[in-house]
Amino acid sequence: MTAASKKLRWQVFSVLRPSEPSPAARRWRTFHLTVLAVGLLAVILLSIDEFASGHRVYLRGAIWIVTIIFLVEYLARLWVAPEIPAYVDKSPTRARLHWIVSLPGLIGLLAIMPVVMMTGGYSISGADTASVFCILWILKLGLHAPAFGTLARVISNERAPIASVLIVFAILLMAAATAAHMFERVKQPEAFGNLPNAMWWAVVTLTTTGYGDVVPLTAGGRMIGSLLMISGIAVLALMTGVLATGFAQEERRREYLRVWDQVSRVPIFASLGVVTLSEIVGKLRTRYYPAHVTVLRRGDPGDSMFFISNGEVEVRLPTGGSVRLDDGAFFGEMALLNRQPRAASVATTRPTTLLVLYASDFYEIASHIPALAEAVENEAKRRREENLGREGKR
């Protein structure tokens, strides 16, 4: 494979990658979601006979276009599969085979099944099999939801407590179904005459759904139902607590790694040791700004300073001039050190990632890391002198 082909494959992979922040990738995601919405709307409208009777040709055409777009996307993703980090140590053929059987590959395959079925002779109507597969396009939304990956990690990390809760759920379910079967089978043989029917009532009651289609009539059955409802609230609350704690811990880990990656790009932090850097990472907050957005306004309170991880900002000075700062620079330190309102406005010139350090955290870090505080103060002094020089020339 030539170098040009590899470069092209990497560029296509970058555009198709869900987490890619580049403008081209964002435009692709917007286009992909728009096509998906159009396809699903066309399938839904096609199932309404009153509406479809006069627009059937257009709706079928829309579905055909959407399926062809998904087919092209599937082939493109198959081609760039060797660029996926998890498959870089495999041959291109093995990488593509692994991708085909992966969850994104299977979802992509389901998305193009209508093309295969229609090519094989199926027509597109509101009730045929091809249209049913079109509804499965909704699964592609999962590829745009990074939280699904987080959910999978949370379930993996918390599998022991989740398994314990599920075991408690199963014990309560079987015990309540058995007791209800014993108490209610004489009076309600259809609803409680066997364990599967009694288990249906137990599931409805334990999950606090309460359809009301099956209700115990005996005193013993009602007592079992009361205890089961109370137990169901406790079990569901316990499961919610486990998942909420897992999500919070996973989000903290992700944010820590994300901030660490951004901090390592700032030269003023790069020379610090790992222990010191870990202390700083815990204090910084990541903020993402699109182009031409005002970050600070003149006169705002000087309660924080900003480090540019990547991107560019324009500092609009009160003298009428402006200064541009890019990767590795920082701003807002003068107002923070002097505890004065902002003397200048700052706006992004292109998409920018900033690290925010609040005043209380800055002074806490400064007490432990004098070198960092000294570097910030020296830069603030240099900028003050530059501003004075500009005013003197005016």
Side-chain angles (χ1 to χ4, degrees), residues 44-123:
I44 292 171
L45 293 178
L46 194 60
S47 67
I48 304 174
D49 293 335
E50 296 81 2
F51 182 87
S53 59
H55 306 85
R56 195 174 301 276
V57 174
Y58 301 106
L59 294 174
R60 289 177 177 177
I63 294 175
W64 263 108
I65 293 172
V66 170
T67 52
I68 291 172
I69 291 174
F70 287 161
L71 175 60
V72 173
E73 180 205 4
Y74 181 82
L75 295 175
R77 291 187 181 277
L78 182 62
W79 180 56
V80 303
E83 300 294 340
I84 298 175
Y87 306 150
V88 292
D89 58 339
K90 303 181 186 299
S91 66
T93 301
R94 289 179 60 84
R96 292 184 177 105
L97 290 174
H98 275 80
W99 181 81
I100 288 173
V101 298
S102 67
L103 182 60
L106 292 175
I107 291 175
L109 182 62
L110 287 174
I112 65 171
M113 281 301 294
V115 177
V116 177
M117 299 182 73
M118 287 184 291
T119 304
Y122 282 90
S123 63

Side-chain angles (χ1 to χ4, degrees), residues 169 172-173 176-177 180 192 197-216 221-233 236:
F169 186 93
L172 290 172
L173 177 67
F192 293 93
N197 288 346
M199 286 179 65
W200 164 253
W201 166 82
V203 169
V204 170
T205 305
L206 185 56
T207 56
T208 68
T209 305
Y211 288 123
D213 56 342
V214 181
V215 181
R222 290 178 176 176
M223 185 176 298
I224 295 298
S226 300
L227 294 175
L228 192 59
M229 284 184 279
I230 295 172
S231 301
I233 294 173
L236 294 178

Side-chain angles (χ1 to χ4, degrees), residues 159-197:
R159 56 185 178 275
I162 289 175
S164 300
V165 174
L166 292 177
I167 290 172
V168 172
F169 186 93
I171 292 172
L172 290 172
L173 177 67
M174 291 303 301
T178 303
H181 171 65
M182 293 173 61
F183 282 112
E184 297 289 329
R185 62 182 175 180
V186 175
K187 285 195 172 183
Q188 300 186 78
E190 292 185 0
F192 293 93
N194 55 62
L195 280 177
N197 288 346

